[in-house]
Amino acid sequence: MDRSQIQLPPYLPHHPAIVEEYANHLDAIQITDQKVGGILDKLRENGLLKNTIVFFFSDHGMRLTRNKQFLYDGGLQVPLIIADFREGKSKIQAGSVNSDLMAGLDLGTTALALAEIPIPENMEGRDIFNNAIAPREYVISTRDRCDFTIDRIRSVRSNEFKYIRNFMTDRPYTQPTYLDFDRVEFVGVMKQLYAEGKLNEAQDRFMAAERPSEELYDINADPFELNNLAHNPQYSKVLEKYRSILDQWVLETDDKGQYGEDEAGLRFMLGIWGKDCVNPEYDVLRKKYPNFEGSLVYLKSEASKKVEPNFVGTPLFDIEGNQLVQFSKRPIQEK
């Protein structure tokens, strides 16, 4: 990509490190396109494409501030292309566009339907090609602990509005993440520009020490989700509606994010990520296991080993015993 032609969203400052990160993402898209084309060519050469349905979609959010791991559209909206190459059986018109709201849950259900496999009753997704089923009115999205960073955010997205609820308002958006651990350049640049007062209002807001409990955005008028309408009295009824939708979802699903995580999981994170585990939930573990912090960091680069489905034996990692008991030459013993 021609770096001089990059146009950043308004919540990102125009800095060489930010431009380069954004451009790398666009470069990666072109490389991905070439690789996918190669896969399709191989399927065609081997006579398999005519009996194949392709689902192409991505992970959530490019690796940039306010996108990755967050519930703004920059973190939720992903590409989705479905191509049915089956001869005489395709239910999809080439070049057609479906603008309905879709959730990740719909991918498995739709795949089963296209393959004419009965859909289990306990699957929550909808077959997006079944016109007898009404399109989604909204999509619920969630964010809890990502790697070692403990958070709880929920959102309700319709074709008109996005409602976000931040449950841990005392924690900044920019808590330490794997990007800090890996010393990714643009992360340091954002913090430096914030400290130097060089960010504008839109860019500065995400770097604040606290955040609002509720956010409401008019998606069509404000696609970058910068104008929070949660405290605008003209939108009080809209806010109440979406707040109620989320409350009902929490009750119906028994949202697991409302319960604290068990000790074993958090202890494992503390062992791998060490001092970057700054959330207060880790403090009690530091006192309880004073020599454990960072002792498992080598697991991030440990070679993987395939375990057969019928494997019988001791687990690969024994969190209670503080040691790798299989496939490792470097056991960890806590004293």
Side-chain angles (χ1 to χ4, degrees):
M1 295 298 298
D2 182 349
R3 271 53 176 167
S4 67
Q5 299 300 311
I6 297 295
Q7 295 183 9
L8 298 173
Y11 51 80
L12 293 176
H14 200 278
H15 183 281
I18 308 290
V19 170
E20 185 62 24
E21 183 72 29
Y22 200 90
N24 283 338
H25 181 82
L26 300 181
D27 288 343
I29 291 174
Q30 296 187 72
I31 295 170
T32 301
D33 188 51
Q34 295 172 4
K35 289 183 177 296
V36 172
I39 293 171
L40 293 177
D41 287 342
K42 288 293 184 182
L43 288 170
R44 187 177 290 107
E45 291 170 10
N46 288 279
L48 298 172
L49 190 61
K50 60 184 178 182
N51 192 36
T52 297
I53 304 171
V54 174
F55 281 65
F56 176 92
F57 54 97
S58 80
D59 191 8
H60 289 83
M62 74 162 65
R63 194 183 71 164
L64 273 173
T65 299
R66 207 176 182 269
N67 287 5
K68 194 71 174 178
Q69 300 186 347
F70 285 94
L71 306 186
Y72 302 105
D73 274 9
L76 296 183
Q77 192 171 26
V78 300
L80 174 61
I81 301 173
I82 304 176
D84 189 346
F85 293 98
R86 296 177 300 171
E87 296 180 350
K89 293 185 178 181
S90 177
K91 299 180 180 180
I92 307 171
Q93 181 179 352
S96 59
V97 176
N98 187 330
S99 58
D100 293 342
L101 288 171
M102 299 178 192
L105 291 169
D106 299 334
L107 296 178
T109 308
T110 300
L112 290 176
L114 287 172
E116 299 179 357
I117 297 173
I119 299 172
E121 292 184 1
N122 63 343
M123 291 190 71
E124 299 176 34
R126 61 181 294 274
D127 172 12
I128 64 176
F129 297 113
N130 186 346
N131 295 325
I133 302 176
R136 289 183 178 274
E137 293 183 38
Y138 50 83
V139 171
I140 304 287
S141 298
T142 69
R143 182 258 163 94
D144 290 292
R145 174 171 63 77
C146 291
D147 294 315
F148 57 92
T149 310
I150 301 173
D151 209 333
R152 186 186 176 201
I153 314 174
R154 301 291 181 265
S155 73
V156 182
R157 169 69 152 86
S158 70
N159 281 318
E160 298 175 312
F161 293 97
K162 163 79 69 59
Y163 170 75
I164 297 176
R165 185 179 300 174
N166 296 295
F167 288 84
M168 298 181 171
T169 57
D170 60 321
R171 304 181 186 189
Y173 294 107
T174 53
Q175 297 186 79
T177 70
Y178 74 97
L179 298 174
D180 296 270
F181 185 92
D182 293 337
R183 304 295 183 262
V184 174
E185 183 181 10
F186 81 84
V187 176
V189 166
M190 286 294 296
K191 292 182 177 180
Q192 180 180 351
L193 294 177
Y194 173 70
E196 296 174 351
K198 295 181 179 180
L199 300 177
N200 63 31
E201 182 182 356
Q203 298 157 3
D204 189 79
R205 188 183 312 149
F206 192 77
M207 307 297 293
E210 297 183 347
R211 44 182 145 157
S213 60
E214 294 180 300
E215 302 175 54
L216 180 68
Y217 301 101
D218 182 334
I219 294 297
N220 297 307
D222 180 25
F224 291 111
E225 299 162 281
L226 298 174
N227 182 23
N228 185 6
L229 303 171
H231 300 293
N232 187 328
Q234 296 182 13
Y235 291 87
S236 59
K237 290 186 177 179
V238 175
L239 181 65
E240 291 175 7
K241 173 185 176 182
Y242 284 78
R243 181 188 291 155
S244 176
I245 291 172
L246 183 60
D247 288 341
Q248 186 64 31
W249 178 86
V250 170
L251 288 174
E252 291 178 352
T253 64
D254 189 27
D255 179 13
K256 302 308 177 186
Q258 62 191 308
Y259 308 112
E261 190 170 351
D262 61 34
E263 179 180 299
L266 294 181
R267 188 179 171 200
F268 192 51
M269 293 299 99
L270 180 63
I272 292 179
W273 301 95
K275 63 181 178 60
D276 284 282
C277 298
V278 301
N279 298 128
E281 289 89 342
Y282 293 107
D283 292 342
V284 65
L285 298 180
R286 285 190 170 91
K287 293 179 180 178
K288 190 174 180 180
Y289 308 102
N291 301 317
F292 195 67
E293 177 181 284
S295 62
L296 305 178
V297 66
Y298 68 88
L299 291 177
K300 284 178 57 61
S301 57
E302 189 81 358
S304 62
K305 183 174 180 65
K306 183 179 179 181
V307 179
E308 297 300 330
N310 59 353
F311 172 79
V312 177
T314 52
L316 301 187
F317 180 77
D318 178 7
I319 191 68
E320 296 302 328
N322 305 320
Q323 61 179 330
L324 285 172
V325 295
Q326 191 80 17
F327 305 136
S328 175
K329 298 179 181 178
R330 291 174 290 177
I332 294 295
Q333 296 285 356
E334 169 116 3
K335 298 180 179 179

